[in-house]
């Protein structure tokens, strides 16, 4: 038996040394320090028991072992109380520890002087019967007071564990359970020993060994010091990064030196909620987690501390990103410089192209020799190809800079497919290729229309088809369109396939980069911008493009776009415009301008070649053409003479076209405040057109100037044929906006105005009927009756579009505001706007009938 008890003592000491080694491998925190002290005093306690076990031949020898036990016991209970309080995050006042220290002092003095008084032990004797020599003691009053105090400490520890258990995670509960079982077993054994159940034998060391085993399970098996506190203890306290570590309750458990300098008000033990600036930063999106301190930019990065698969705290890192931001800024500036360079190159190329194609047009018009005309046609074809290349560079630069403007309007994908086939079939057939088109039945419904930018969808398809034809020498090129449902949303799937040379697998990503081409393209012409433009266009439209290719067998490019349906109102206007366009194409003839001989047109451009081209292109209009070479001369000329139309180049030295425009319009004593002014520019594209119209220009012409577009614009703007347009301006109708929506077709615009006026009475009655129904119903019914409100919203939406379509912008805004009021069920707002809207409506219609 003696050998067994000695073995248990040794095992207990070894267990404590093992746990001590685990903890000392790390920099100890408060919790770990408390546990280290607990282990040290437990070792002292067990060594005392061991001394009592092997040296109890006399009372003095046995008492020496008891003295060592009580010294260890005093320290281990105080350390255990500290450890548990830190573990459960329960603050124990200092005075309790002071009281405990005073009591322990009395106990230790009492045990060390026990042979001289009877307050601690009333009697002591050595028993030699049984398994081994041992001391038997009688308990004095001081011992009983000590036992009551000791047991109260144990109960407090168990109570703290029970309180924390309810608020803990699953892993923490397992730790607490092991700790509570170990301490409970130890305290129960003490109670049974005191009750005399074990007689003169002392089983405490067995209970202590079991308690240490439970502690080991809590710490090693469930790695109490392996995550949260390991992160605290091993966190870098120096360097450029600030660090705050929070526990699962958002209490600050660690602040490193850098963080203390950045946020002096942050303190360990406080809650993070107390730092308002940090809380606001944490609520922002991850891409906005930047804060500046003393000229240095720090990025907040939040990392969860994961323990056994569960979140048990957070680390807030403040990483110095100053250098990274400077690098990004330099890269951005370099990218912008590249984009500006490309835009400048394409702009500068358009100026000589304007001269070349303009003069070539005059040869086609005036030459009597067929052979010369054939030469000129070849020049025109080559010029058109050159313009496509210039547009590729321009589109690439716009997409890079984010300035490309996408517009949404009704279209039919079947028409876009047909147009792409019309443009590309002849190229395929010239190479002996079979051109195949496939279209889902759902996309062939003539009554269904989509909404989107059909012009850019067509550009994307023609680029893909052009590539397919270019790299296919025999076989086929196929264009397919279908619909699919993905995540409850309709998707438009467009694919272009071929039986061409194919693309190597490792180059299939490279081909979508600017100037990226496959290594097997050989001498095929092209700059390698087509697919890069296609990819960026598709991404700008919210879609994706993929490629599957087998070298030597062909490729399949698949595009996926969201399929949006156009409203009936939008489709009605589109159909009217489309019909007019078809009629215009069918009966297109060279316009005759007999009335323009009396009109005077001023053209301002710093390039003499451009002036020469415009004069020749305008020759058959019979209008009087005057030219100046800068903006100042244009402003001066406008003070001297009334012009019927002014064409201003944008990029003129000293005073550019926009500045010249505003000076002419702002000159109250001048003669051309009301004269329409057209912008001439090499800045092609929708965004350029919108910019000029927003400035107030009546129209816009891109260089090289398209002769037909030039003459159509003159037909719309010159007063000899369009006096009625000026009259509409006084009735709230911006005719230049209306003409733009009518594709600058004055006759079609006339029809739109007439249709708008004829429908006014019927539409007003319908709108008023819905309004009256809304007003008559009680508040609850009106709010809950979605169908009535939906009628109002749909009606206002339709009227908004129709008003905007004729240029009645103020009226359109009224309908838009009433539409928004309908969406928010705001009857008061509707009543506030309604009468003004009706008055503006009547004013516009009166202007149309009186034109």
């Amino acid at each position: 038996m003696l050998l067994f008890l000695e073995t248990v003592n040794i095992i207990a000491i070894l267990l404590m040394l093992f746990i001590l080694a685990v903890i000392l491998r790390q920099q100890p925190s408060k919790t770990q320090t408390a546990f280290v002290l607990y282990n040290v005093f437990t070792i002292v306690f067990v060594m005392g028991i061991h001394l009592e076990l092997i040296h109890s031949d006399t009372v003095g020898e046995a008492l020496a072992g008891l003295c060592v036990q009580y010294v260890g016991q005093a320290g281990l209970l105080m350390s255990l109380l500290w450890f548990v309080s830190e573990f459960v995050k329960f603050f124990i006042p200092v005075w309790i520890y002071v009281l405990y220290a005073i009591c322990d002092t009395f106990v230790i003095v009492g045990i060390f002087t026990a042979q001289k008084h009877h307050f601690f032990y009333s009697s002591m004797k050595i028993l030699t019967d049984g398994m081994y020599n041992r001391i038997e003691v009688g308990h004095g009053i001081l011992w009983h007071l000590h036992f009551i105090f000791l047991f109260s400490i144990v109960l407090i520890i168990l109570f703290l564990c029970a309180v924390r258990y309810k608020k803990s995670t699953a892993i923490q509960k397992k730790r607490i359970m092991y700790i509570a079982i170990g301490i409970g077993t130890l305290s129960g054994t003490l109670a049974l020993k005191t009750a005399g159940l074990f007689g003169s034998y002392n089983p405490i060391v067995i209970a202590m060994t079991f308690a240490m085993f439970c502690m080991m399970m809590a710490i090693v098996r469930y790695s109490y010091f392996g995550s949260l506190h390991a992160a605290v203890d091993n966190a870098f306290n120096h360097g450029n990064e600030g660090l705050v570590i929070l526990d699962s309750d958002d209490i600050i458990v660690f602040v490193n030196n850098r963080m203390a300098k950045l946020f002096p008000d942050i303190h360990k033990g406080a809650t993070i909620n107390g730092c308002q600036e940090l809380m606001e930063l944490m609520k922002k999106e991850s891409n906005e987690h930047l804060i500046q301190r003393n000229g240095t930019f720090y990025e907040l990065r939040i990392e969860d501390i994961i323990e056994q698969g569960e979140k048990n705290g957070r680390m807030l890192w403040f990483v110095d990103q100053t250098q990274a931001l400077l690098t990004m800024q330099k890269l951005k500036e370099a990218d912008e410089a590249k984009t500006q360079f490309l835009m400048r190159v394409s702009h500068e190329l358009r100026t000589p192209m304007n001269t070349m194609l303009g003069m070539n047009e005059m040869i086609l018009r005036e030459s009597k020799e067929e052979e010369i005309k054939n030469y000129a046609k070849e020049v025109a074809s080559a010029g058109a190809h050159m313009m496509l290349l210039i547009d590729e560079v321009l589109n690439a630069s716009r997409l890079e800079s984010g300035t490309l403007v996408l517009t949404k309007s009704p279209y039919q994908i079947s028409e876009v497919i047909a147009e792409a086939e019309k443009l590309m079939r002849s190229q395929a057939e010239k190479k002996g290729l079979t051109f195949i088109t496939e279209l889902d039945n759902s996309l062939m419904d003539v009554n269904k229309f989509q909404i989107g930018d059909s012009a850019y969808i067509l550009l994307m398809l023609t680029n893909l088809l052009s590539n397919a034809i270019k790299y296919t020498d025999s076989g086929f090129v196929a264009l397919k369109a279908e619909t699919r449902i993905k995540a409850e949303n309709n998707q438009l799937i467009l694919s272009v396939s071929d039986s061409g040379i194919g693309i190597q697998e490792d180059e299939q990503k490279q081909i979508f980069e600017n100037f990226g081409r496959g290594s097997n393209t050989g001498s095929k012409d092209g700059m390698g911008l087509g697919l890069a433009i296609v990819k960026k266009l598709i991404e700008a439209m919210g879609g994706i493009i993929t490629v599957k290719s087998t070298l030597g067998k062909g490729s399949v490019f698949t595009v996926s776009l969201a399929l949006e349906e156009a409203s009936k109102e939008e489709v009605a206007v589109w159909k009217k415009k489309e019909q007019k366009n078809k009629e215009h194409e069918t009966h297109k003839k060279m316009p005759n301008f007999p009335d323009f001989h009396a009109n005077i047109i001023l053209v301002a451009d710093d390039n003499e070649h451009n002036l020469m081209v415009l004069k020749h292109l305008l020759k058959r209009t019979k209008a009087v053409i005057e030219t100046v070479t800068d903006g100042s001369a244009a402003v001066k000329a406008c003070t001297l003479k009334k012009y019927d139309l002014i064409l201003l180049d944008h990029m003129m030295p000293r005073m550019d076209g926009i500045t010249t425009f505003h000076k002419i319009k702002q000159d109250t004593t001048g003669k051309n405040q009301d004269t329409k002014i057209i912008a001439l520019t090499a800045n092609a594209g929708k965004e350029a057109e919108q910019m000029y119209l927003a400035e107030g220009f009546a129209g816009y012409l891109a260089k090289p100037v398209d002769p037909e577009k030039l003459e159509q614009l003159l037909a719309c703007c010159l007063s000899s044929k369009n006096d009625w347009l000026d009259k509409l301006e006084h009735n709230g109708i911006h005719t230049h906006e209306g003409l733009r929506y009518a594709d600058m077709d004055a006759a079609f615009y006339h029809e739109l105005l007439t249709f708008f006026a004829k429908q006014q009475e019927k539409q007003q009655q319908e709108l008023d009927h819905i309004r009256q129904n809304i007003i008559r119903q009680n508040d609850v019914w009106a709010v809950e009756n979605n169908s009535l409100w939906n009628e109002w919203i749909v009606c206002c939406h339709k009227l908004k579009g129709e008003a905007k379509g004729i240029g009645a912008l103020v009226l359109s805004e009224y309908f838009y505001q009433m539409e928004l009021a309908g969406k928010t069920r705001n009857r008061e707002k509707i009543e506030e706007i309604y009468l003004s809207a009706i008055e503006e409506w009547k004013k516009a219609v009166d202007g149309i009938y009186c034109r």
Side-chain angles (χ1 to χ4, degrees), residues 54-215:
I54 61 174
H55 295 291
S56 293
D57 296 332
T58 66
V59 168
E61 287 178 347
L63 193 59
L66 287 172
C67 289
V68 174
Q69 286 180 49
Y70 276 93
V71 170
Q73 183 190 93
L76 76 88
L77 280 176
M78 184 178 285
S79 303
L80 186 60
L81 179 62
W82 184 22
F83 166 75
V84 174
S85 68
E86 288 291 328
F87 178 77
V88 301
K89 299 179 178 61
F90 185 88
F91 176 74
I92 294 179
V94 176
W95 65 265
I96 291 180
Y97 292 103
V98 173
L99 178 62
Y100 186 90
I102 293 170
C103 292
D104 278 339
T105 301
F106 278 104
V107 169
I108 290 170
V109 171
I111 188 65
F112 271 86
T113 60
Q115 287 182 300
K116 298 179 180 181
H117 57 80
H118 299 287
F119 293 108
F120 200 86
Y121 290 140
S122 59
S123 63
M124 293 180 286
K125 63 179 180 178
I126 298 297
L127 299 178
T128 57
D129 62 326
M131 294 175 288
Y132 57 90
N133 292 349
R134 59 204 179 277
I135 187 169
E136 185 182 71
V137 298
H139 301 143
I141 186 169
L142 188 58
W143 186 92
H144 282 99
L145 290 172
H146 156 69
F147 182 82
I148 291 169
F149 184 75
L150 181 151
F151 215 76
S152 66
I153 293 296
V154 172
L155 289 176
I156 290 171
I157 290 172
L158 291 173
F159 172 77
L160 292 176
C161 288
V163 170
R164 183 61 182 177
Y165 186 87
K166 296 179 181 179
K167 302 177 182 178
S168 298
T169 64
I171 297 298
Q172 288 172 322
K173 284 180 179 179
K174 290 178 181 177
R175 293 194 192 114
I176 292 171
M177 185 168 55
Y178 273 106
I179 292 171
I181 289 171
I183 295 171
T185 301
L186 183 61
S187 60
T189 305
L190 283 171
L192 293 174
K193 173 73 171 66
T194 304
L197 184 64
F198 301 110
S200 59
Y201 294 99
N202 191 352
I204 296 299
V205 68
I206 298 173
M208 182 67 71
T209 303
F210 179 76
M212 291 308 299
F213 173 79
C214 292
M215 292 286 189

Side-chain angles (χ1 to χ4, degrees), residues 510-798:
Q510 170 190 325
I511 59 171
F512 290 110
E513 298 173 2
N514 284 345
F515 310 106
R517 302 181 69 189
S519 59
N520 60 333
T521 55
S523 59
K524 306 287 186 182
D525 61 341
M527 295 186 294
L529 280 173
L531 288 176
I533 291 170
V534 166
K535 185 175 186 291
K536 287 168 185 171
L537 269 177
I538 292 165
E539 289 172 349
M541 290 186 278
I544 57 172
I545 181 170
T546 58
V547 59
K548 290 183 179 179
S549 185
T550 303
L551 201 62
K553 293 185 178 180
S555 307
V556 180
F557 289 84
T558 304
V559 176
S560 178
L561 297 170
L563 189 64
E564 299 179 56
E565 287 195 10
S567 67
K568 291 181 180 179
E569 293 77 15
E570 291 168 326
V571 171
V573 175
W574 179 86
K575 279 186 174 180
K576 191 75 175 176
K577 187 186 296 185
E578 189 68 11
Q579 182 61 35
K580 199 67 186 176
N581 287 341
K582 286 180 180 178
E583 291 175 4
H584 179 71
E585 289 295 323
T586 304
H587 303 98
K588 187 186 286 185
K589 294 180 181 178
M590 196 61 70
N592 184 24
F593 301 97
D595 299 327
F596 286 179
H597 69 278
N599 294 115
I600 305 174
I601 301 174
L602 176 65
V603 183
D605 196 314
D606 62 305
N607 188 298
E608 293 286 353
H609 293 98
N610 287 339
L611 291 175
M612 177 182 66
V613 168
L614 280 167
K615 286 181 75 172
H616 281 86
L617 291 177
L618 291 171
K619 183 193 292 186
R620 66 183 180 192
T621 68
K622 302 179 182 177
V624 177
I625 311 298
E626 294 187 5
T627 61
V628 291
T629 55
D630 60 63
S632 299
V635 172
K636 184 176 180 180
C638 287
T639 62
L640 303 173
K641 185 185 292 187
K642 170 69 175 174
Y643 292 98
D644 298 294
L645 185 66
I646 300 172
L647 304 180
L648 288 180
D649 179 45
H650 181 184
M651 301 298 288
M652 293 187 290
R654 294 183 293 279
M655 186 185 294
D656 66 24
I658 292 177
T659 305
T660 304
F661 168 84
H662 288 299
K663 283 192 173 292
I664 293 170
K665 292 296 182 182
Q666 291 165 7
D667 185 3
T668 55
T669 61
K671 301 177 182 293
N672 291 277
Q673 268 193 312
D674 299 326
T675 302
K676 286 184 170 57
I677 302 178
I678 304 297
L680 290 171
T681 180
N683 295 328
K686 294 178 183 178
E687 63 276 11
E689 180 180 8
Q690 290 179 4
M691 178 189 74
Y692 292 120
L693 293 176
E695 289 289 343
F697 284 88
Y700 149 91
L701 277 172
K703 297 176 185 176
V705 174
D706 184 315
E708 287 190 21
K709 287 183 179 178
L710 173 63
E711 291 168 348
Q712 287 171 7
L713 199 59
L714 262 61
C716 291
C717 294
L718 287 175
S719 59
S720 59
K721 295 189 72 92
N722 298 292
D723 283 337
W724 56 275
L725 295 176
D726 294 325
K727 296 176 183 178
L728 291 173
E729 298 280 349
H730 300 293
N731 286 69
I733 298 175
H734 299 265
T735 55
H736 64 280
E737 284 291 326
L739 279 166
R740 189 163 65 88
Y741 282 109
D743 286 344
M744 306 309 291
D745 188 330
F748 179 41
Y749 184 42
H750 181 280
E751 288 185 20
L752 286 178
L753 290 167
T754 303
F755 180 79
F756 181 88
K758 286 181 179 178
Q759 292 291 313
Q760 185 261 342
E761 185 176 353
K762 179 183 175 182
Q763 289 175 334
Q764 185 179 334
Q765 288 175 358
E766 179 186 353
L767 187 67
D768 193 65
H769 175 71
I770 300 171
R771 184 181 70 92
Q772 291 296 337
N773 284 338
I774 290 173
I775 292 170
R776 280 197 294 267
Q777 307 308 320
N778 61 64
D779 288 342
V780 175
W781 186 92
V783 169
E784 294 180 349
N785 193 329
N786 287 328
S787 61
L788 185 59
W789 283 107
N790 286 340
E791 284 181 33
W792 174 266
I793 293 166
V794 170
C795 189
C796 289
H797 182 80
K798 172 186 174 184

Side-chain angles (χ1 to χ4, degrees), residues 334-351:
D335 193 55
E336 287 177 353
K338 178 194 72 176
T339 300
Q340 290 299 320
F341 171 75
L342 290 173
M343 293 182 75
R344 186 69 186 177
V345 166
S346 65
H347 177 278
E348 292 302 325
L349 286 173
R350 282 178 174 272
T351 300

